[in-house]
Amino acid sequence: MIFKSVTTRVIVLSICLLVFGIGTFAFLTLRREQMQLINSARESTSLLLNTIERSTYNSMRIGNTEDVQVILEMVGQSDKLVGVRIFHPHGVVLKSSLPGEVGKPVDERDYNLFLHNKKEGVFTLDGYGEVLGMVKPIYNDRQCNTCHGEKSRIIGILNVNYSLVETRRRIVELTKLFVLSTVAIIGFLSLAISLVMLKFVKKPLRLMSANMAKVEAGDLSVRVSYDRQDEIGKLLGSFNSMVGRLDRAKKELETFHFQQMERADRLASVGEMAAGIAHEIKNPLTGIAAAITVMKDDFEPTDPRFSIISEVLEQISRLDKTVNDLLFFGKPTASEPACTDINATLRKILIFAGQHRGGKNIEKVLHLEENLPPVYVDAKQIQQVFLNLFLNAVQAMQQGGTLTVESSIVKEAAGDMVRIRVADTGQGIPPQILEKIFVPFFTTKAQGTGLGLPISHRLIEQNGGRLSVQSEDGKGTTFTVDLPACYPGGEAGPWGVAASGATASATVHTCAV
């Protein structure tokens, strides 16, 4: 369980790396120091061996063997020397710092060095411990021929046994010093790393974790106080910034939700009131229209009163449309969706919209993708929506322009959608007005009711689609409608898995009515 903590794992890993790194360095350094001590002993023994050889050479050259024995005994008094001797190639001691060895066989290990042509070797002697044995042959030169003749090439072997007890003692002390210092360094660095990690990493992370738990519980007022400008400080700063943005977003969402609830409540009240008023107005209005129509028949077209009666009927017709819009907005009818050919519907509606008195000077351009799947909608309601969008586009281009209608397939995770874009080249909609165009009863037209776009928006959503708008002031407006695709043998896109494979072979139709 303890290693589940990232801080603990980092500390343990750091300590392991320290142990490995410092331990390896200490081991290599210790080995080097040990080799230097051994080499120092070896060099001392070799130097002593050469010195003894030079000292005994002159005495042996004149045949004074007594001086050789004295020299060996004098040199052998050193505490570091176990023994100094000269033995015959056959292994018999001829001269020695230990007189009791003379005439006896030399130690087998010293003799083996000579036999195996080795200069030195390390072995243990009883009572003396570990020693370094070194041998050096004494060759028969011309000055030695007087006593030794010319038959033997080697007349003796100079042998020195150097005690390594002191050297080993120093190696042990050095080893203890390195081990203790290595352990102390590793312990100190491990403690320092642990304290740094706990203070500067684990403590801030634990503090942030506790505050994140408060944020999960819904408290967005928490903030973490941390003064350092390191990576942890930047992380905690980002945490504070994130929580601050969440808090602002939550307040904005609550405000927006409250506004939407107020708007929904207001619209419900307005809708009910409008439906009631419209119902009370519609019946008398129908009677008035019938009476005025009868009166109109009594006048000749040349009579001045005929034009007045016609204007009254036109205004009654406009009032009747407003009442119908109010009735629909207050109590919208249920949709009866079916698979509908959207391209054919768009062509038919565009022809009808082109008969509008303002549509004579407008060029109509269709970019309709062929082989589009049908859409799963209420055909009458969708016709009402697009007729309203086309007429709005025509009215936005009083001085002429281009009305462009496009259709295409859009692949989405929830199912395929058919996208229709209606674009005009009018004056566009200012940003301050654009955000209000779907608000009921909001209009900039002198004779508008402000219900056309809100009703269109409701009808599109009622049919499982989406209606959005983009506009640039002075350059035109584009309405985008996404409707659920409907494939033969399958359901509409948003309600099931739609088939794939709608090919994109687009055709362009240009017409000027």
Side-chain angles (χ1 to χ4, degrees):
M1 297 294 291
I2 189 172
F3 289 103
K4 287 186 177 181
S5 171
V6 175
T7 309
T8 305
R9 289 200 296 266
V10 171
I11 293 174
V12 171
L13 179 61
S14 301
I15 293 174
C16 291
L17 292 176
L18 278 175
V19 171
F20 176 76
I22 298 178
T24 302
F25 174 77
F27 174 76
L28 295 176
T29 304
L30 180 62
R31 290 292 297 173
R32 187 187 64 181
E33 294 295 327
Q34 290 175 347
M35 292 303 298
Q36 285 181 350
L37 290 174
I38 296 295
N39 289 334
S40 177
R42 184 180 291 111
E43 290 173 0
S44 298
T45 305
S46 178
L47 179 61
L48 183 60
L49 192 65
N50 292 331
T51 302
I52 295 172
E53 181 185 21
R54 287 193 298 269
S55 299
T56 58
Y57 179 75
N58 291 329
S59 299
M60 293 179 67
R61 183 171 56 84
I62 61 176
N64 190 356
T65 59
E66 296 292 336
D67 289 346
V68 174
Q69 180 64 30
V70 173
I71 292 172
L72 295 181
E73 289 179 2
M74 183 177 60
V75 173
Q77 293 177 0
S78 174
D79 294 336
K80 294 183 179 180
L81 292 178
V82 175
V84 182
R85 64 189 65 82
I86 299 173
F87 62 86
H88 192 273
H90 293 160
V92 178
V93 178
L94 300 177
K95 303 290 181 181
S96 176
S97 61
L98 302 174
E101 290 183 348
V102 178
K104 295 181 180 180
V106 72
D107 188 280
E108 182 180 359
R109 286 162 291 192
D110 287 320
Y111 189 57
N112 284 334
L113 293 176
F114 167 68
L115 292 179
H116 293 90
N117 199 24
K118 294 182 178 178
K119 292 182 179 181
E120 62 185 48
V122 178
F123 47 85
T124 303
L125 289 177
D126 295 336
Y128 298 101
E130 195 173 20
V131 298
L132 171 64
M134 190 172 289
V135 295
K136 186 172 185 180
I138 301 174
Y139 293 97
N140 186 10
D141 57 15
R142 290 180 180 180
Q143 296 176 349
C144 299
N145 291 343
T146 305
C147 298
H148 298 282
E150 299 179 1
K151 293 182 180 181
S152 300
R153 182 170 176 267
I154 297 175
I155 59 176
I157 296 93
L158 181 60
N159 175 221
V160 175
N161 291 136
Y162 186 89
S163 176
L164 295 177
V165 174
E166 179 65 20
T167 302
R168 291 302 180 188
R169 185 186 65 79
R170 293 177 61 186
I171 290 175
V172 170
E173 290 179 353
L174 185 63
T175 302
K176 290 180 180 179
L177 178 62
F178 266 94
V179 170
L180 291 177
S181 61
T182 300
V183 171
I185 291 173
I186 291 175
F188 174 76
L189 292 178
S190 300
L191 180 61
I193 291 174
S194 300
L195 291 176
V196 169
M197 291 295 295
L198 291 175
K199 180 175 179 60
F200 296 105
V201 178
K202 188 169 185 177
K203 184 178 178 180
L205 290 179
R206 184 180 295 172
L207 180 62
M208 188 176 74
S209 177
N211 282 279
M212 287 184 69
K214 294 180 181 179
V215 172
E216 287 185 30
D219 184 6
L220 297 179
S221 63
V222 297
R223 298 294 184 274
V224 181
S225 178
Y226 192 81
D227 299 330
R228 296 180 179 86
Q229 299 299 319
D230 53 11
E231 288 79 0
I232 299 296
K234 293 179 180 178
L235 176 63
L236 295 179
S238 299
F239 172 78
N240 289 338
S241 177
M242 178 192 69
V243 175
R245 289 196 297 270
L246 285 175
D247 191 24
R248 289 193 297 271
K250 180 183 177 182
K251 292 178 180 178
E252 291 174 0
L253 185 62
E254 289 176 347
T255 303
F256 177 75
H257 180 68
F258 179 74
Q259 293 174 349
Q260 290 295 102
M261 292 296 293
E262 280 190 331
R263 178 174 177 270
D265 184 65
R266 184 170 62 251
L267 289 179
S269 300
V270 171
E272 292 179 2
M273 181 180 66
I277 294 175
H279 182 73
E280 293 298 326
I281 294 175
K282 187 172 180 61
N283 290 336
L285 196 63
T286 302
I288 293 173
I292 295 297
T293 301
V294 172
M295 292 175 61
K296 181 181 178 181
D297 293 338
D298 295 337
F299 299 106
E300 295 293 331
T302 57
D303 193 321
R305 290 172 292 180
F306 185 85
S307 60
I308 296 174
I309 294 296
S310 298
E311 180 66 23
V312 170
L313 286 175
E314 183 176 347
Q315 294 301 320
I316 290 175
S317 177
R318 187 177 68 81
L319 288 174
D320 185 64
K321 179 181 181 302
T322 302
V323 169
N324 288 332
D325 287 344
L326 286 171
L327 286 173
F328 180 85
F329 186 76
K331 294 181 179 180
T333 57
S335 299
E336 297 180 359
C339 291
T340 304
D341 185 347
I342 191 63
N343 283 348
T345 302
L346 292 173
R347 291 189 182 97
K348 181 172 63 176
I349 298 172
L350 189 60
I351 293 174
F352 183 76
Q355 306 305 316
H356 189 272
R357 60 186 177 183
K360 301 298 183 179
N361 301 324
I362 295 174
E363 181 183 11
K364 290 85 176 175
V365 178
L366 279 76
H367 294 271
L368 305 180
E369 187 174 303
E370 298 295 341
N371 300 322
L372 278 180
V375 292
Y376 192 70
V377 295
D378 186 312
K380 293 181 179 179
Q381 292 180 349
I382 293 302
Q383 289 177 10
Q384 179 181 344
V385 170
F386 283 109
L387 179 60
N388 183 58
L389 294 179
F390 291 168
L391 291 179
N392 284 346
V394 169
Q395 293 169 4
M397 298 182 287
Q398 297 293 334
Q399 306 301 322
T402 302
L403 171 62
T404 304
V405 182
E406 301 175 352
S407 65
S408 60
I409 187 73
V410 178
K411 301 289 184 180
E412 296 184 359
D416 293 353
M417 303 288 283
V418 174
R419 176 165 294 174
I420 301 96
R421 297 176 70 251
V422 180
D424 63 62
T425 57
Q427 294 301 312
I429 305 174
Q432 64 273 17
I433 296 178
L434 186 65
E435 60 185 15
K436 300 178 181 179
I437 60 174
F438 295 121
V439 176
F441 306 109
F442 176 82
T443 181
T444 58
K445 299 176 183 179
Q447 295 183 346
T449 62
L451 290 175
L453 286 176
I455 290 176
S456 297
H457 191 271
R458 175 180 290 184
L459 289 176
I460 292 297
E461 289 186 343
Q462 190 172 307
N463 282 271
R466 299 185 296 265
L467 174 61
S468 60
V469 59
Q470 297 86 34
S471 182
E472 190 172 353
D473 195 11
K475 293 187 177 181
T477 303
T478 300
F479 283 87
T480 302
V481 180
D482 291 335
L483 298 173
C486 175
Y487 292 94
E491 296 184 356
W495 296 284
V497 179
S500 61
T503 39
S505 173
T507 58
V508 179
H509 302 276
T510 303
C511 55
V513 180

